[in-house]
Every structure is written in C-alpha cells, then in structure tokens.
Amino acid sequence: MKILVCVTSVPDTITKITLTDNNTKLNKAGVQFITGPYDDYALSRAVELKEQLGGTVTVLNVGESDADPVIRKCLAIGADDAIRVNAEPTDAYFVAEQIAAIAKENSYDLILMGRESIDYNGGQVHGIVGEMLGLPSISPVMKLAIDGSTAKITREIEGGHEELEAGLPLVLGCQEPIAEWKIPNMRGIMSARTKPLKVVEPTGKDTLTHIANYELPPARGACKMIPASEAETLIKLLRTEAKVI
Amino acid sequence: MSVLIFAELDEGALKKSSLEAIYYGSKVAALTGTSATAIVLGEGKADELAKAGRFGATKVLHASDAQLNEGNAMAYASVVAEAANQEGADVIVLAKSSLADSMAARLAGKLKAGLAANVIELPDVSSGFRVKRSIFTGKAFAFTELTAEKKILAIKKNTITPEETEATATVEAFKPALNDTDFAVKVTNVEKASGDILLPEADLVVSAGRGLKGPENWGIVEDLAKALHAATACSKPVSDLDWRPHHEHVGQTGIKISPNLYMACGISGAIQHLAGVNSSKVIVVINKDPEAPFFKSADYGIVGDVFEVLPRLTKAVQEL
C-alpha cells in the first residue's frame, strides 16, 4: 500500500484572526501553525493502514519553508518521507496541480487529505486532484477500510451517512472519526530528523482566484440578559423583537 | 454568457437551500445582464420544476435519467459541465451541501473554473468579479477576485432572502451523455434520520453541550426543538463522547451553520465552537455559569439551570 497524504500548515484552531497591511494580509505575528486538523486525521489513518498492511506513507505539502516544522511532525507521527513543493499555496487549483504532478510521477494507491483546510475552507482540492488524475474522489470520509484492492468507505451526508465501495486508487477528503489522532513519541521525533524531506519547485502557475483584501466580522451588540425566573420572556422577545420564531 | 444554477432535489422536492441558490443566481444574472437557468438532476415532480421559475429561473434543464436519482458527485459534475457548455454559462451557482460541495470540486477541475466557497453576498461586478466569502470558519471574510473565465459560487445558507413570484420558467428535457467511469463508486447502504429537519437546512437550531450531563437527558432539548420545529445540534465533546451522532456536531471541525436562530444550552462557547455558529442571525445562550464566554457572543442570555429553563421555554413556545 503506497499512500500519499497531503497536509496543510494552518493557524491553530484557537487563533484569534487579526489583519495587517491595510487589511490585505493576515497577521502571522504570534500565530502558532499546526497541521490541518482534518489532515491530521488523514495522516493518522494512513499510518494505521501502513501498520496493518505494510507499505509507505509519503507526506506532501505545498508551502514555503515555514511549513517544515509541521512536515517534520508528520514524519514523527509515522510518515516515511516527505515532499514539499516550494511555493505559496495561492489557490485550490494551483495546489491541486502540484499534487497531481507529484501523483503522476509515483503511483499511489491512496491519496488522502483533510476534507478542507481550516484556513480558507474551500474543500475543493481533493475533487480537482481526482479530476486531474481521472480518479474517483470522495469526501468527507468518516471511515476507511481496505479489502484487497477495494476501499470500503463511510461518508457523512446531511442527517446521517452512506456506505460506499470503490476500487483503488482513490482520492479521499477525510474527517473524524476516521482515526484517533496520533501523538509523536520521542523515538518518532528523533527519527523524523533524518527522514528524507525533498523540496521540489512548482509546476505550472495557474491561479484562478485572488484575494484582494480581508475583513473581520462586526462585534455583536450587548447580550440582553433575561433572569431565569422570567425565562418565558425570551420566547416573547424572539417573536416580537428578534422576529425569528 | 448566462448563469447556471445547480438545484438539488431531496426525495423529489427542491431543497430549500437550492431555492435560495436559484434566487441568488437570478440576481447575479440581473447584475450581469443575462438570464438564469436552473439544472435539476434525477426524477423531480413537475410542480417542483415550476417552483424554480417562481424563484427566478427563466429556464429549467431537467436531466430525468433514473441513473441520476442517487446523488453522485462525479456523474453530477459531468452533467452540469455539459449543461454549462451547452448554455455558454460562465457563472455556476450552488448552495453548499454534502453532495453539492463534492460536485462543485469536480466541476472546478473539469471547467478549470475559479471556485469561491462560502460566499455570503452578491458579487461586485463593477470591475472584474469580486465575491465576499467567509474564511477561517466565519472568523474572517475574504474579498476574492475570480479571475478565470468560468466561475463557481458556492453560497452559504442565509446569503440572500429569496422572494417567490408568479413567474414561470420553460422546462426543457436535458439528455446528457452518461459515462460508466462516473459510476465507479457504489453506494451499498444509506442511513439517514427520516422526518427530522436537516441541520444545515434548518432555520432554527437548538444545540446542547456537556452541560446536559449525559445522552439520557436529551429529551428536554428534543422537546424544545420539536416545539419550535427546529433541528438539534451539539458541541464537539458531546459527539466525541458518542452522546449524539457526528452529523449533529457544529463547530470549526464539524458542521458550519448559519440559521436564523441558534440556541446554545449548556455550551460554554470555546472559540472553535463559536467559529461554526457565529454567522447565525440571532444567538441565545443558556448556561448556569455567568462567566461562560459564550455570553459575550450572544444576543440573548439566561444564566440558569438548563434542566429548569428548557422545559419552561418549551411550554412557553407551545402556548404561543
């Protein structure tokens, strides 16, 4: 089983977003970058599958050198090697082009990634990669089991889930509870230092979108407090004042 | 040049979110001086197709092949791409859903289209084509220029308030070429809560957290939701503990919602939870801890015990 796991380096989920340069840039000062939480699920499942079935796990990131700590952590969790495409991940199409180019050079049985990156929430890279490679893509995947050359998949839908079967190779966008997050141990951290991290230059430069500027949401007005002893008043206010019921 | 709207059926009826997408698409068409065509896949009732006209489509393409009854992202993307080419559509509009999201991603690859997800306003077409979209799960917005010839807009719920008119649309049968490779993924089983209001489509949501102390206490949440005709939701810890199914988990790594009303019961309001719900129009927080951070992001608050407050609210709703 040869698995490629695509990971993003994104601001920690607890980050309070602030802007800089006249609202044209996100302020990175003091922001802790982490592996995308959904990508972490994909990586954890990939490492579990490798432990079960044998094979290799390669981590791929499209990003600049500031993503290296995140990539090293993926290696510490159990990936065998890593590739970084040395470019700013400007938009989904550009990132998908990079992933597809790497995938064409190597034949992977599975290409896993998070259902979406938690920064721009596009959720489109897996679909575009699938299209570029002529492979099925499925997202969001909650469970993944491999039976020979067939994948058995549970995908979340509104109000429930569906069970799917498809032959390998496949491109999958993953989410919980596909695996328990793995935490790197000391041995993993030590070995990650010497595992290969290949840096390659990007191919193509197609971007189809461009962010001109950013805005932060307006603060909500003061919270109107209702004493618990008059809880019924809330329902009246929701009808007559807020007009939502 | 025209606007094509992907209108999604659920059990033969157009989804509410799709009616919003059709109305939004008709406004984009008006802004760009063109017309709005809706495409509907699978067997749909005639009165449902007519509904697309009442919400702003001037034409409906209906691909009624039974093979398309089951939502299949890959086949749907091929059909929508063929329709976009036939109609010369350069803007494709859809409402976010588990099917539409997957379909849109494939479509972006097929058409080499710029895709903006979580769009929350009509585009600014005064120079170029610029949309406002929610990023960081609602913690910020990005004004994004779509520079490709083809553009896909995936709109968030409550982006626009649709208005129904007496207008009619011409309905045309659409017979796309179906490709076997698009049916390579087999659906072996579907489990879906029936009769419930689907969370991403719901106007009103009653949500609860660890403050409920255990899954056996969810009756009071469900009673209030039922009285309000609301969907139920929960926080991440509750879904992690298996008190509630994963498809009810709202937050940064769960479902992102933007209903008219979000009522959070016994949820403290961690930043990751707020991220998934902060675009709700009105937020109510009920928590016994007056220091719960959620009160700072709420419109209405009650400091009190959910076990006492919720049944009283349910009774008050029933007496309306």
Side-chain angles (χ1 to χ4, degrees):
Chain A
M1 181 73 39
K2 209 171 151 188
I3 308 175
L4 181 69
V5 183
C6 310
V7 301
T8 54
S9 168
V10 291
D12 197 347
T13 54
I14 57 166
T15 307
K16 191 170 187 300
I17 304 298
T18 57
L19 306 173
T20 176
D21 284 16
N22 202 18
N23 295 344
T24 58
K25 285 203 174 76
L26 298 166
N27 185 5
K28 289 188 180 179
V31 173
Q32 171 78 35
F33 280 78
I34 58 165
T35 315
Y38 295 121
D39 311 332
D40 244 345
Y41 285 113
L43 175 65
S44 299
R45 186 66 189 134
V47 172
E48 285 176 359
L49 287 172
K50 183 185 85 164
E51 286 165 356
Q52 268 174 35
L53 306 165
T56 57
V57 174
T58 300
V59 165
L60 171 61
N61 170 262
V62 179
E64 292 168 307
S65 59
D66 56 2
D68 284 349
V70 158
I71 298 171
R72 288 284 172 207
K73 193 183 162 207
C74 294
L75 292 169
I77 283 170
D80 299 284
D81 62 337
I83 304 167
R84 179 167 62 78
V85 178
N86 188 29
E88 190 191 343
T90 40
D91 78 353
Y93 195 88
F94 174 78
V95 170
E97 255 185 333
Q98 308 314 315
I99 296 170
I102 302 284
K104 277 176 191 162
E105 282 172 28
N106 307 274
S107 46
Y108 298 103
D109 301 297
L110 279 173
I111 300 173
L112 306 183
M113 61 190 81
R115 64 175 292 179
E116 65 186 44
S117 67
I118 64 155
D119 48 7
Y120 292 98
N121 310 122
Q124 34 178 320
V125 172
H126 34 75
I128 304 175
V129 169
E131 202 57 47
M132 285 172 170
L133 297 174
L135 297 178
S137 57
I138 300 167
S139 175
V141 174
M142 304 172 75
K143 281 184 197 164
L144 166 64
I146 303 294
D147 182 1
S149 61
T150 304
K152 291 187 173 167
I153 286 164
T154 304
R155 172 179 177 268
E156 188 164 79
I157 57 173
E158 282 89 11
H161 60 265
E162 60 184 13
E163 287 159 27
L164 309 168
E165 271 185 31
L168 302 178
L170 287 172
V171 185
L172 305 178
C174 305
Q175 70 169 33
E176 72 266 33
I178 194 168
E180 292 278 336
W181 274 341
K182 289 189 180 298
I183 293 158
N185 57 28
M186 192 44 78
R187 201 166 139 244
I189 294 167
M190 297 302 284
S191 68
R193 291 183 188 166
T194 52
K195 285 179 178 173
L197 192 176
K198 190 165 81 174
V199 178
V200 300
E201 290 307 310
T203 54
K205 51 180 182 342
D206 291 318
T207 58
L208 308 178
T209 64
H210 162 75
I211 295 177
N213 57 299
Y214 297 90
E215 192 180 278
L216 296 178
R220 272 181 198 267
C223 180
K224 190 177 262 190
M225 298 305 293
I226 296 148
S229 57
E230 297 163 27
E232 293 76 9
T233 313
L234 172 70
I235 300 302
K236 286 201 188 76
L237 288 171
L238 290 177
R239 171 155 282 191
T240 57
E241 189 177 80
K243 296 186 170 68
V244 288
I245 64 170
Chain B
M1 172 171 176
S2 75
V3 175
L4 183 69
I5 302 116
F6 168 64
E8 197 179 327
L9 291 173
D10 185 32
E11 288 165 14
L14 284 176
K15 287 176 81 169
K16 202 173 160 201
S17 53
S18 285
L19 297 177
E20 185 179 346
I22 292 168
Y23 185 76
Y24 179 96
S26 73
K27 295 293 159 193
V28 177
L31 281 173
T32 51
T34 178
S35 61
T37 300
I39 177 154
V40 179
L41 289 81
E43 289 166 303
K45 300 176 197 119
D47 52 342
E48 287 297 321
L49 300 176
K51 210 187 246 176
R54 296 204 298 277
F55 282 87
T58 49
K59 183 159 85 174
V60 178
L61 294 177
H62 185 209
S64 62
D65 195 308
Q67 261 192 292
L68 299 170
N69 284 351
E70 198 171 74
N72 170 332
M74 289 164 65
Y76 273 38
S78 296
V79 173
V80 175
E82 191 179 325
N85 288 333
Q86 176 190 298
E87 297 296 309
D90 44 14
V91 179
I92 296 146
V93 173
L94 51 102
K96 284 183 66 66
S97 78
S98 65
L99 173 62
D101 288 353
S102 300
M103 191 284 294
R106 300 291 301 201
L107 188 64
K110 274 184 203 296
L111 300 176
K112 203 175 174 182
L115 193 168
N118 300 304
V119 170
I120 57 162
E121 278 180 6
L122 282 169
D124 175 357
V125 295
S126 54
S127 72
F129 194 100
R130 185 174 290 197
V131 295
K132 183 178 184 180
R133 64 188 173 106
S134 158
I135 58 168
F136 287 96
T137 332
K139 287 199 266 187
F141 304 109
F143 291 90
T144 306
E145 194 73 43
L146 300 185
T147 49
E149 189 194 334
K150 308 254 185 216
K151 302 155 178 66
I152 304 174
L153 310 182
I155 64 167
K156 229 174 135 163
K157 182 182 164 63
N158 272 339
T159 288
I160 198 164
T161 308
E163 285 166 30
E164 193 170 358
T165 67
E166 297 296 311
T168 55
T170 55
V171 178
E172 279 179 21
F174 184 62
K175 304 232 177 283
L178 298 178
N179 189 333
D180 280 349
T181 58
D182 283 339
F183 294 87
V185 179
K186 301 281 173 229
V187 179
T188 54
N189 187 29
V190 178
E191 287 193 24
K192 191 171 159 180
S194 62
D196 289 353
I197 299 161
L198 294 177
L199 180 55
E201 295 267 304
D203 288 328
L204 311 174
V205 175
V206 180
S207 184
R210 261 184 304 193
L212 267 286
K213 296 194 170 84
E216 67 279 9
N217 296 326
W218 239 259
I220 54 170
V221 179
E222 285 167 341
D223 287 347
L224 178 57
K226 201 173 164 199
L228 285 167
H229 302 291
T232 52
C234 69
S235 65
K236 179 167 164 62
V238 163
S239 130
D240 286 350
L241 288 163
D242 266 336
W243 290 2
R244 300 296 294 175
H246 186 269
H247 63 256
E248 285 198 2
H249 157 208
V250 290
Q252 185 154 11
T253 57
I255 314 246
K256 293 87 177 171
I257 55 170
S258 46
N260 294 337
L261 172 66
Y262 182 72
M263 292 183 83
C265 314
I267 300 176
S268 62
I271 189 166
Q272 297 97 324
H273 183 78
L274 289 175
V277 303
N278 59 4
S279 35
S280 308
K281 277 189 188 159
V282 173
I283 295 180
V284 171
V285 170
I286 302 159
N287 204 300
K288 67 176 183 205
D289 175 9
E291 301 300 318
F294 216 152
F295 284 115
K296 290 196 180 72
S297 306
D299 301 289
Y300 297 96
I302 296 179
V303 177
D305 183 349
V306 291
F307 293 98
E308 285 166 23
V309 173
L310 292 192
R312 288 177 58 180
L313 294 179
T314 305
K315 194 157 171 278
V317 172
Q318 286 161 346
E319 286 168 1
L320 275 177

